[in-house]
Amino acid sequence: MKDYVFTSESVGEGHPDKICDQVSDAILDAYLKKDKESKVAIECFVKGDLFLIGGEITSKADVNIEEIVREKIKELGYDNEKDGFNFKTCKIILNITKQSSDIARGVAPKKNKEQGAGDQGIMFGYATNETKEYMPLSIILSHKLMRKLSELRRNNEIEFIGSDAKSQVSVEYSDGKPSRIKAIVLSVHHNETKNLEELRKELIEKVIAPVCDNLIDKKTKIYINPAGRFVIGGPAADAGLTGRKIIVDTYGGYARHGGGCFSGKDPSKVDRSAAYAARYIAKNIVASGIADKCEIQLSYAIGIAKPISIYVDCFGTNKISNNKIEQLIKKYFPIKPADIIEKLDLKKPIYSKTAVFGHFGREEFSWERLDKVEILKNEFEQ
């Protein structure tokens, strides 16, 4: 295999797009906590001191949405009017209706009929054995940089920084395997009193070194706030929108994406639940030794339970045929919406945690379980 460099990025919890993702999922969790059958599709937009929330909700629950929004914004550190975005004073506008009866008719299970998919669409799942998380190294490191930065900010171990940030990691591959980090880019919102050189030193010592040290060498290029000062940040600098960071949320560009976002959607929406199922399938296939890499595509039609198609691509690393792998998927894995929801226990208020630092490669989530490995090994070895 040829040598190459692959780059992935992540963004911090206070990035405008991620603010919107987290608010969307916080609203979803609030409804699921009170009514697990809630149907929620919520999207947010933020710019300056204006926060717009729109979508559809059908639920028995009574939820104070504005209170949830302000609490999340406060948690993310936007509590100073000088930032141009403040949890106390921002204007919140709601435009929410009930779920379309036409959609509800196709999704709700009826007598002698299974629960259908909440929409048409294609979803991808991916796994690789190049890391212990079964994820591409570049996206895992990018997320870890953002998570470490968040911990230091919340613990006040690095002073005068905000929650808006970006990371980017370029990994060099030799013969198809990650060998070193070629470059790291880290941009962090900071107070105007923060000395930039001091910030760069702290970020190298407290963030980059603990996360990436074993893969950094003398040739690694490190760029910290490469444009210089980053005093104007968050929604004062850029607009934010739910679902705009779908590559950050998934595999960092290393695998294909069907196009649908996750945040703000209850699990009846296959954009979310089937993408989780596809990851669950791919990860177990790779962990069982059947393939070194695996990408799964599932496609659905609205109102229909059974997938329209299943596609498997192991990039030539599979030990058995793709057709055999497809048979194993149909035999051992949930691929119908109701089965996915039940197997992965998706009606719980678990989604706020997913909305930042990536949806995959984190053992706390049910779709990361490796409970099919032994079954697949037995099939593989026969």
Side-chain angles (χ1 to χ4, degrees):
M1 298 180 67
K2 67 177 182 178
D3 296 347
Y4 59 93
V5 176
F6 194 87
T7 302
S8 297
E9 71 162 347
S10 183
V11 297
E13 57 194 340
H15 183 283
D17 292 332
K18 275 294 145 197
I19 296 172
C20 292
D21 285 342
Q22 290 171 91
V23 168
S24 296
D25 273 336
I27 293 170
L28 170 61
D29 277 353
Y31 276 95
L32 290 177
K33 187 175 182 179
K34 295 183 176 182
D35 176 11
K36 67 178 183 178
E37 302 301 329
S38 296
K39 297 296 181 286
V40 178
I42 286 294
E43 298 181 14
C44 303
F45 167 85
V46 65
K47 174 57 185 171
D49 217 25
L50 176 64
F51 207 104
L52 305 178
I53 304 169
E56 303 82 44
I57 298 175
T58 299
S59 177
K60 297 177 182 177
D62 182 19
V63 171
N64 187 330
I65 293 177
E66 183 171 328
E67 184 178 289
I68 292 170
V69 175
R70 295 194 188 279
E71 185 59 35
K72 177 58 68 174
I73 294 170
K74 179 183 178 182
E75 177 192 328
L76 296 175
Y78 290 102
D79 55 4
N80 189 332
E81 290 188 9
K82 292 182 180 180
D83 291 331
F85 181 57
N86 187 332
F87 81 97
K88 293 180 181 179
T89 59
C90 68
K91 184 179 181 181
I92 298 174
I93 298 176
L94 306 181
N95 187 2
I96 299 171
T97 64
K98 290 189 175 182
Q99 183 185 61
S100 162
S101 59
D102 292 339
I103 294 175
R105 188 182 304 112
V107 175
K110 299 179 178 64
K111 186 177 181 180
N112 300 323
K113 185 178 180 180
E114 296 178 283
Q115 176 179 334
D119 199 353
Q120 72 175 52
I122 54 175
M123 297 82 208
F124 286 94
Y126 179 77
T128 172
N129 62 8
E130 70 181 56
T131 64
K132 65 181 179 62
E133 295 90 356
Y134 294 93
M135 290 284 287
L137 181 60
S138 53
I139 188 64
I140 281 293
L141 291 178
S142 295
H143 286 323
K144 286 183 177 180
L145 289 171
M146 290 293 91
R147 185 183 287 275
K148 185 66 175 177
L149 185 68
S150 173
E151 293 173 359
L152 295 172
R153 180 187 70 84
R154 288 172 179 265
N155 294 334
N156 208 31
E157 293 181 49
I158 298 182
E159 295 182 325
F160 309 118
I161 61 170
S163 57
D164 188 4
K166 283 187 173 183
S167 62
Q168 186 172 284
V169 179
S170 300
V171 175
E172 190 172 285
Y173 284 73
S174 299
D175 196 26
K177 301 292 184 182
S179 58
R180 60 182 290 271
I181 295 174
K182 182 176 182 179
I184 296 171
V185 182
L186 192 59
S187 297
V188 179
H189 183 206
H190 60 87
N191 188 293
E192 61 184 352
T193 63
K194 185 72 175 180
N195 179 275
L196 187 55
E197 289 307 312
E198 179 184 331
L199 176 63
R200 286 172 172 158
K201 181 180 178 182
E202 286 183 291
L203 292 176
I204 290 173
E205 292 179 354
K206 298 180 180 180
V207 179
I208 293 175
V211 172
C212 303
D213 194 45
N214 61 325
L215 290 165
I216 294 174
D217 57 31
K218 293 181 180 180
K219 293 183 178 181
T220 300
K221 301 293 185 182
I222 298 177
Y223 304 93
I224 297 177
N225 284 27
R229 56 180 262 148
F230 182 7
V231 173
I232 303 172
D238 295 298
L241 191 66
T242 299
R244 194 154 55 184
K245 287 294 179 282
I246 58 176
I247 300 304
V248 170
D249 286 343
T250 53
Y251 306 100
Y254 211 96
R256 283 169 280 200
H257 197 295
C261 79
F262 303 152
S263 290
K265 297 178 181 177
D266 75 83
S268 71
K269 282 72 171 173
V270 285
D271 277 343
R272 182 167 220 157
S273 55
Y276 291 169
R279 162 64 178 175
Y280 174 53
I281 295 166
K283 185 177 180 182
N284 275 270
I285 288 170
V286 171
S288 71
I290 289 176
D292 295 334
K293 301 177 182 180
C294 182
E295 185 179 73
I296 305 294
Q297 184 201 62
L298 302 174
S299 73
Y300 294 86
I302 187 168
I304 306 299
K306 188 177 179 181
I308 302 302
S309 67
I310 301 173
Y311 174 75
V312 179
D313 189 352
C314 296
F315 310 94
T317 69
N318 41 312
K319 316 301 189 299
I320 60 177
S321 70
N322 286 342
N323 287 339
K324 176 62 175 176
I325 294 173
E326 184 177 332
Q327 293 172 14
L328 294 176
I329 292 171
K330 292 178 179 178
K331 184 176 180 180
Y332 292 115
F333 290 95
I335 52 176
K336 296 178 181 179
D339 294 340
I340 293 170
I341 291 168
E342 180 180 5
K343 174 64 179 179
L344 301 182
D345 201 12
L346 297 181
K347 290 185 178 180
K348 290 183 177 180
I350 58 172
Y351 297 104
S352 291
K353 291 181 180 180
T354 70
V356 67
F357 311 131
H359 292 245
F360 306 123
R362 299 164 60 181
E363 292 184 0
E364 62 199 286
F365 301 133
S366 60
W367 48 92
E368 295 293 320
R369 291 195 301 245
L370 294 174
D371 54 353
K372 299 291 186 181
V373 169
E374 293 305 317
I375 293 173
L376 294 175
K377 280 183 177 179
N378 290 335
E379 291 275 4
F380 170 48
E381 292 168 358
Q382 288 179 3

PDB file of all heavy atoms in Angstrom, residues 60-86:
ATOM      1  N   LYS A  60     -46.235  13.550  25.107  1.00  0.00           N
ATOM      2  CA  LYS A  60     -47.090  13.786  26.269  1.00  0.00           C
ATOM      3  C   LYS A  60     -46.377  14.648  27.308  1.00  0.00           C
ATOM      4  O   LYS A  60     -46.998  15.111  28.269  1.00  0.00           O
ATOM      5  CB  LYS A  60     -47.492  12.451  26.900  1.00  0.00           C
ATOM      6  CG  LYS A  60     -48.324  11.552  25.994  1.00  0.00           C
ATOM      7  CD  LYS A  60     -48.614  10.221  26.673  1.00  0.00           C
ATOM      8  CE  LYS A  60     -49.396   9.287  25.755  1.00  0.00           C
ATOM      9  NZ  LYS A  60     -49.620   7.964  26.402  1.00  0.00           N
ATOM     10  N   ALA A  61     -45.091  14.837  27.122  1.00  0.00           N
ATOM     11  CA  ALA A  61     -44.285  15.567  28.098  1.00  0.00           C
ATOM     12  C   ALA A  61     -44.482  17.077  27.984  1.00  0.00           C
ATOM     13  O   ALA A  61     -44.742  17.605  26.900  1.00  0.00           O
ATOM     14  CB  ALA A  61     -42.815  15.225  27.916  1.00  0.00           C
ATOM     15  N   ASP A  62     -44.327  17.746  29.105  1.00  0.00           N
ATOM     16  CA  ASP A  62     -44.349  19.205  29.162  1.00  0.00           C
ATOM     17  C   ASP A  62     -42.941  19.662  29.520  1.00  0.00           C
ATOM     18  O   ASP A  62     -42.442  19.372  30.618  1.00  0.00           O
ATOM     19  CB  ASP A  62     -45.357  19.682  30.207  1.00  0.00           C
ATOM     20  CG  ASP A  62     -45.455  21.206  30.258  1.00  0.00           C
ATOM     21  OD1 ASP A  62     -45.043  21.850  29.273  1.00  0.00           O
ATOM     22  OD2 ASP A  62     -45.935  21.733  31.278  1.00  0.00           O
ATOM     23  N   VAL A  63     -42.278  20.346  28.603  1.00  0.00           N
ATOM     24  CA  VAL A  63     -40.876  20.708  28.778  1.00  0.00           C
ATOM     25  C   VAL A  63     -40.702  22.217  28.570  1.00  0.00           C
ATOM     26  O   VAL A  63     -41.250  22.790  27.625  1.00  0.00           O
ATOM     27  CB  VAL A  63     -39.994  19.941  27.768  1.00  0.00           C
ATOM     28  CG1 VAL A  63     -38.568  20.473  27.787  1.00  0.00           C
ATOM     29  CG2 VAL A  63     -40.016  18.446  28.074  1.00  0.00           C
ATOM     30  N   ASN A  64     -39.934  22.838  29.456  1.00  0.00           N
ATOM     31  CA  ASN A  64     -39.607  24.260  29.329  1.00  0.00           C
ATOM     32  C   ASN A  64     -38.364  24.384  28.443  1.00  0.00           C
ATOM     33  O   ASN A  64     -37.229  24.315  28.910  1.00  0.00           O
ATOM     34  CB  ASN A  64     -39.350  24.873  30.705  1.00  0.00           C
ATOM     35  CG  ASN A  64     -39.179  26.382  30.646  1.00  0.00           C
ATOM     36  OD1 ASN A  64     -38.719  26.937  29.651  1.00  0.00           O
ATOM     37  ND2 ASN A  64     -39.536  27.058  31.721  1.00  0.00           N
ATOM     38  N   ILE A  65     -38.587  24.557  27.160  1.00  0.00           N
ATOM     39  CA  ILE A  65     -37.490  24.567  26.200  1.00  0.00           C
ATOM     40  C   ILE A  65     -36.546  25.743  26.432  1.00  0.00           C
ATOM     41  O   ILE A  65     -35.323  25.587  26.390  1.00  0.00           O
ATOM     42  CB  ILE A  65     -38.041  24.574  24.763  1.00  0.00           C
ATOM     43  CG1 ILE A  65     -38.743  23.242  24.473  1.00  0.00           C
ATOM     44  CG2 ILE A  65     -36.923  24.823  23.754  1.00  0.00           C
ATOM     45  CD1 ILE A  65     -39.375  23.159  23.111  1.00  0.00           C
ATOM     46  N   GLU A  66     -37.093  26.911  26.693  1.00  0.00           N
ATOM     47  CA  GLU A  66     -36.236  28.082  26.882  1.00  0.00           C
ATOM     48  C   GLU A  66     -35.283  27.893  28.066  1.00  0.00           C
ATOM     49  O   GLU A  66     -34.118  28.280  28.010  1.00  0.00           O
ATOM     50  CB  GLU A  66     -37.086  29.335  27.094  1.00  0.00           C
ATOM     51  CG  GLU A  66     -36.239  30.591  27.233  1.00  0.00           C
ATOM     52  CD  GLU A  66     -37.052  31.871  27.234  1.00  0.00           C
ATOM     53  OE1 GLU A  66     -38.096  31.922  26.566  1.00  0.00           O
ATOM     54  OE2 GLU A  66     -36.618  32.830  27.921  1.00  0.00           O
ATOM     55  N   GLU A  67     -35.766  27.290  29.105  1.00  0.00           N
ATOM     56  CA  GLU A  67     -34.924  27.028  30.281  1.00  0.00           C
ATOM     57  C   GLU A  67     -33.770  26.086  29.924  1.00  0.00           C
ATOM     58  O   GLU A  67     -32.628  26.276  30.365  1.00  0.00           O
ATOM     59  CB  GLU A  67     -35.780  26.413  31.391  1.00  0.00           C
ATOM     60  CG  GLU A  67     -35.045  26.189  32.696  1.00  0.00           C
ATOM     61  CD  GLU A  67     -35.958  25.639  33.760  1.00  0.00           C
ATOM     62  OE1 GLU A  67     -36.827  26.390  34.247  1.00  0.00           O
ATOM     63  OE2 GLU A  67     -35.832  24.433  34.099  1.00  0.00           O
ATOM     64  N   ILE A  68     -34.053  25.076  29.119  1.00  0.00           N
ATOM     65  CA  ILE A  68     -33.016  24.126  28.694  1.00  0.00           C
ATOM     66  C   ILE A  68     -31.955  24.839  27.860  1.00  0.00           C
ATOM     67  O   ILE A  68     -30.746  24.624  28.033  1.00  0.00           O
ATOM     68  CB  ILE A  68     -33.652  22.973  27.896  1.00  0.00           C
ATOM     69  CG1 ILE A  68     -34.512  22.114  28.817  1.00  0.00           C
ATOM     70  CG2 ILE A  68     -32.579  22.114  27.224  1.00  0.00           C
ATOM     71  CD1 ILE A  68     -35.373  21.111  28.089  1.00  0.00           C
ATOM     72  N   VAL A  69     -32.397  25.690  26.961  1.00  0.00           N
ATOM     73  CA  VAL A  69     -31.472  26.413  26.088  1.00  0.00           C
ATOM     74  C   VAL A  69     -30.528  27.287  26.916  1.00  0.00           C
ATOM     75  O   VAL A  69     -29.301  27.248  26.737  1.00  0.00           O
ATOM     76  CB  VAL A  69     -32.247  27.284  25.082  1.00  0.00           C
ATOM     77  CG1 VAL A  69     -31.273  28.125  24.249  1.00  0.00           C
ATOM     78  CG2 VAL A  69     -33.107  26.418  24.167  1.00  0.00           C
ATOM     79  N   ARG A  70     -31.086  28.059  27.827  1.00  0.00           N
ATOM     80  CA  ARG A  70     -30.250  28.983  28.614  1.00  0.00           C
ATOM     81  C   ARG A  70     -29.287  28.211  29.524  1.00  0.00           C
ATOM     82  O   ARG A  70     -28.132  28.628  29.710  1.00  0.00           O
ATOM     83  CB  ARG A  70     -31.134  29.923  29.430  1.00  0.00           C
ATOM     84  CG  ARG A  70     -31.964  30.867  28.556  1.00  0.00           C
ATOM     85  CD  ARG A  70     -32.577  32.016  29.350  1.00  0.00           C
ATOM     86  NE  ARG A  70     -33.510  32.768  28.512  1.00  0.00           N
ATOM     87  CZ  ARG A  70     -33.148  33.698  27.629  1.00  0.00           C
ATOM     88  NH1 ARG A  70     -31.868  33.997  27.498  1.00  0.00           N
ATOM     89  NH2 ARG A  70     -34.069  34.338  26.907  1.00  0.00           N
ATOM     90  N   GLU A  71     -29.727  27.113  30.077  1.00  0.00           N
ATOM     91  CA  GLU A  71     -28.862  26.323  30.954  1.00  0.00           C
ATOM     92  C   GLU A  71     -27.679  25.741  30.179  1.00  0.00           C
ATOM     93  O   GLU A  71     -26.543  25.729  30.665  1.00  0.00           O
ATOM     94  CB  GLU A  71     -29.661  25.199  31.617  1.00  0.00           C
ATOM     95  CG  GLU A  71     -28.884  24.399  32.648  1.00  0.00           C
ATOM     96  CD  GLU A  71     -28.362  25.247  33.796  1.00  0.00           C
ATOM     97  OE1 GLU A  71     -29.054  26.209  34.197  1.00  0.00           O
ATOM     98  OE2 GLU A  71     -27.259  24.939  34.303  1.00  0.00           O
ATOM     99  N   LYS A  72     -27.928  25.265  28.965  1.00  0.00           N
ATOM    100  CA  LYS A  72     -26.844  24.709  28.150  1.00  0.00           C
ATOM    101  C   LYS A  72     -25.855  25.797  27.749  1.00  0.00           C
ATOM    102  O   LYS A  72     -24.636  25.590  27.803  1.00  0.00           O
ATOM    103  CB  LYS A  72     -27.429  24.018  26.924  1.00  0.00           C
ATOM    104  CG  LYS A  72     -26.378  23.450  25.960  1.00  0.00           C
ATOM    105  CD  LYS A  72     -25.445  22.448  26.638  1.00  0.00           C
ATOM    106  CE  LYS A  72     -26.142  21.175  27.047  1.00  0.00           C
ATOM    107  NZ  LYS A  72     -25.158  20.178  27.561  1.00  0.00           N
ATOM    108  N   ILE A  73     -26.341  26.945  27.358  1.00  0.00           N
ATOM    109  CA  ILE A  73     -25.462  28.051  26.975  1.00  0.00           C
ATOM    110  C   ILE A  73     -24.597  28.477  28.163  1.00  0.00           C
ATOM    111  O   ILE A  73     -23.396  28.739  28.018  1.00  0.00           O
ATOM    112  CB  ILE A  73     -26.296  29.243  26.456  1.00  0.00           C
ATOM    113  CG1 ILE A  73     -27.006  28.869  25.149  1.00  0.00           C
ATOM    114  CG2 ILE A  73     -25.399  30.468  26.219  1.00  0.00           C
ATOM    115  CD1 ILE A  73     -28.030  29.901  24.704  1.00  0.00           C
ATOM    116  N   LYS A  74     -25.202  28.517  29.344  1.00  0.00           N
ATOM    117  CA  LYS A  74     -24.450  28.859  30.554  1.00  0.00           C
ATOM    118  C   LYS A  74     -23.351  27.836  30.821  1.00  0.00           C
ATOM    119  O   LYS A  74     -22.207  28.199  31.150  1.00  0.00           O
ATOM    120  CB  LYS A  74     -25.408  28.922  31.747  1.00  0.00           C
ATOM    121  CG  LYS A  74     -24.731  29.236  33.069  1.00  0.00           C
ATOM    122  CD  LYS A  74     -25.742  29.213  34.220  1.00  0.00           C
ATOM    123  CE  LYS A  74     -25.074  29.483  35.553  1.00  0.00           C
ATOM    124  NZ  LYS A  74     -26.050  29.418  36.674  1.00  0.00           N
ATOM    125  N   GLU A  75     -23.685  26.568  30.692  1.00  0.00           N
ATOM    126  CA  GLU A  75     -22.726  25.485  30.920  1.00  0.00           C
ATOM    127  C   GLU A  75     -21.511  25.615  30.001  1.00  0.00           C
ATOM    128  O   GLU A  75     -20.387  25.270  30.386  1.00  0.00           O
ATOM    129  CB  GLU A  75     -23.412  24.137  30.685  1.00  0.00           C
ATOM    130  CG  GLU A  75     -22.507  22.924  30.823  1.00  0.00           C
ATOM    131  CD  GLU A  75     -23.160  21.669  30.310  1.00  0.00           C
ATOM    132  OE1 GLU A  75     -24.400  21.543  30.405  1.00  0.00           O
ATOM    133  OE2 GLU A  75     -22.430  20.803  29.789  1.00  0.00           O
ATOM    134  N   LEU A  76     -21.734  26.117  28.795  1.00  0.00           N
ATOM    135  CA  LEU A  76     -20.662  26.233  27.811  1.00  0.00           C
ATOM    136  C   LEU A  76     -19.822  27.497  28.005  1.00  0.00           C
ATOM    137  O   LEU A  76     -18.897  27.756  27.238  1.00  0.00           O
ATOM    138  CB  LEU A  76     -21.243  26.197  26.399  1.00  0.00           C
ATOM    139  CG  LEU A  76     -21.937  24.871  26.042  1.00  0.00           C
ATOM    140  CD1 LEU A  76     -22.582  24.970  24.670  1.00  0.00           C
ATOM    141  CD2 LEU A  76     -20.953  23.713  26.096  1.00  0.00           C
ATOM    142  N   GLY A  77     -20.142  28.274  29.040  1.00  0.00           N
ATOM    143  CA  GLY A  77     -19.288  29.398  29.408  1.00  0.00           C
ATOM    144  C   GLY A  77     -19.662  30.732  28.813  1.00  0.00           C
ATOM    145  O   GLY A  77     -18.918  31.717  28.976  1.00  0.00           O
ATOM    146  N   TYR A  78     -20.813  30.826  28.160  1.00  0.00           N
ATOM    147  CA  TYR A  78     -21.225  32.093  27.565  1.00  0.00           C
ATOM    148  C   TYR A  78     -22.062  32.879  28.579  1.00  0.00           C
ATOM    149  O   TYR A  78     -23.286  32.906  28.523  1.00  0.00           O
ATOM    150  CB  TYR A  78     -21.980  31.850  26.263  1.00  0.00           C
ATOM    151  CG  TYR A  78     -21.084  31.338  25.159  1.00  0.00           C
ATOM    152  CD1 TYR A  78     -21.065  29.989  24.820  1.00  0.00           C
ATOM    153  CD2 TYR A  78     -20.243  32.213  24.479  1.00  0.00           C
ATOM    154  CE1 TYR A  78     -20.223  29.522  23.813  1.00  0.00           C
ATOM    155  CE2 TYR A  78     -19.398  31.756  23.476  1.00  0.00           C
ATOM    156  CZ  TYR A  78     -19.402  30.403  23.143  1.00  0.00           C
ATOM    157  OH  TYR A  78     -18.562  29.951  22.152  1.00  0.00           O
ATOM    158  N   ASP A  79     -21.354  33.496  29.511  1.00  0.00           N
ATOM    159  CA  ASP A  79     -22.012  34.206  30.605  1.00  0.00           C
ATOM    160  C   ASP A  79     -21.527  35.637  30.751  1.00  0.00           C
ATOM    161  O   ASP A  79     -21.725  36.286  31.773  1.00  0.00           O
ATOM    162  CB  ASP A  79     -21.792  33.458  31.929  1.00  0.00           C
ATOM    163  CG  ASP A  79     -20.313  33.226  32.233  1.00  0.00           C
ATOM    164  OD1 ASP A  79     -19.457  33.701  31.457  1.00  0.00           O
ATOM    165  OD2 ASP A  79     -20.018  32.552  33.239  1.00  0.00           O
ATOM    166  N   ASN A  80     -20.893  36.142  29.692  1.00  0.00           N
ATOM    167  CA  ASN A  80     -20.320  37.481  29.737  1.00  0.00           C
ATOM    168  C   ASN A  80     -20.827  38.279  28.538  1.00  0.00           C
ATOM    169  O   ASN A  80     -20.670  37.848  27.396  1.00  0.00           O
ATOM    170  CB  ASN A  80     -18.788  37.400  29.710  1.00  0.00           C
ATOM    171  CG  ASN A  80     -18.127  38.741  29.977  1.00  0.00           C
ATOM    172  OD1 ASN A  80     -18.692  39.792  29.686  1.00  0.00           O
ATOM    173  ND2 ASN A  80     -16.933  38.702  30.540  1.00  0.00           N
ATOM    174  N   GLU A  81     -21.429  39.418  28.770  1.00  0.00           N
ATOM    175  CA  GLU A  81     -21.984  40.224  27.682  1.00  0.00           C
ATOM    176  C   GLU A  81     -20.907  40.688  26.703  1.00  0.00           C
ATOM    177  O   GLU A  81     -21.198  40.957  25.535  1.00  0.00           O
ATOM    178  CB  GLU A  81     -22.728  41.431  28.252  1.00  0.00           C
ATOM    179  CG  GLU A  81     -24.031  41.063  28.956  1.00  0.00           C
ATOM    180  CD  GLU A  81     -24.835  42.293  29.348  1.00  0.00           C
ATOM    181  OE1 GLU A  81     -24.447  43.402  28.919  1.00  0.00           O
ATOM    182  OE2 GLU A  81     -25.841  42.133  30.055  1.00  0.00           O
ATOM    183  N   LYS A  82     -19.662  40.737  27.148  1.00  0.00           N
ATOM    184  CA  LYS A  82     -18.577  41.153  26.262  1.00  0.00           C
ATOM    185  C   LYS A  82     -18.349  40.140  25.137  1.00  0.00           C
ATOM    186  O   LYS A  82     -17.759  40.480  24.109  1.00  0.00           O
ATOM    187  CB  LYS A  82     -17.281  41.340  27.065  1.00  0.00           C
ATOM    188  CG  LYS A  82     -17.304  42.515  28.023  1.00  0.00           C
ATOM    189  CD  LYS A  82     -15.976  42.664  28.747  1.00  0.00           C
ATOM    190  CE  LYS A  82     -15.990  43.844  29.704  1.00  0.00           C
ATOM    191  NZ  LYS A  82     -14.692  43.990  30.421  1.00  0.00           N
ATOM    192  N   ASP A  83     -18.791  38.879  25.345  1.00  0.00           N
ATOM    193  CA  ASP A  83     -18.626  37.854  24.309  1.00  0.00           C
ATOM    194  C   ASP A  83     -19.610  38.026  23.162  1.00  0.00           C
ATOM    195  O   ASP A  83     -19.497  37.350  22.136  1.00  0.00           O
ATOM    196  CB  ASP A  83     -18.803  36.450  24.918  1.00  0.00           C
ATOM    197  CG  ASP A  83     -17.659  36.078  25.852  1.00  0.00           C
ATOM    198  OD1 ASP A  83     -16.547  36.581  25.633  1.00  0.00           O
ATOM    199  OD2 ASP A  83     -17.892  35.277  26.778  1.00  0.00           O
ATOM    200  N   GLY A  84     -20.600  38.912  23.335  1.00  0.00           N
ATOM    201  CA  GLY A  84     -21.602  39.102  22.304  1.00  0.00           C
ATOM    202  C   GLY A  84     -22.657  38.012  22.275  1.00  0.00           C
ATOM    203  O   GLY A  84     -23.501  37.978  21.372  1.00  0.00           O
ATOM    204  N   PHE A  85     -22.621  37.121  23.278  1.00  0.00           N
ATOM    205  CA  PHE A  85     -23.585  36.017  23.375  1.00  0.00           C
ATOM    206  C   PHE A  85     -23.648  35.604  24.837  1.00  0.00           C
ATOM    207  O   PHE A  85     -22.651  35.160  25.401  1.00  0.00           O
ATOM    208  CB  PHE A  85     -23.142  34.847  22.493  1.00  0.00           C
ATOM    209  CG  PHE A  85     -24.078  33.665  22.507  1.00  0.00           C
ATOM    210  CD1 PHE A  85     -25.411  33.816  22.146  1.00  0.00           C
ATOM    211  CD2 PHE A  85     -23.623  32.405  22.859  1.00  0.00           C
ATOM    212  CE1 PHE A  85     -26.271  32.723  22.139  1.00  0.00           C
ATOM    213  CE2 PHE A  85     -24.472  31.307  22.852  1.00  0.00           C
ATOM    214  CZ  PHE A  85     -25.799  31.476  22.491  1.00  0.00           C
ATOM    215  N   ASN A  86     -24.809  35.779  25.451  1.00  0.00           N
ATOM    216  CA  ASN A  86     -24.946  35.606  26.889  1.00  0.00           C
ATOM    217  C   ASN A  86     -26.205  34.798  27.192  1.00  0.00           C
ATOM    218  O   ASN A  86     -27.276  35.106  26.664  1.00  0.00           O
ATOM    219  CB  ASN A  86     -25.024  36.991  27.555  1.00  0.00           C
ATOM    220  CG  ASN A  86     -25.000  36.932  29.053  1.00  0.00           C
ATOM    221  OD1 ASN A  86     -25.422  35.952  29.660  1.00  0.00           O
ATOM    222  ND2 ASN A  86     -24.516  37.996  29.675  1.00  0.00           N
TER     223      ASN A  86
END
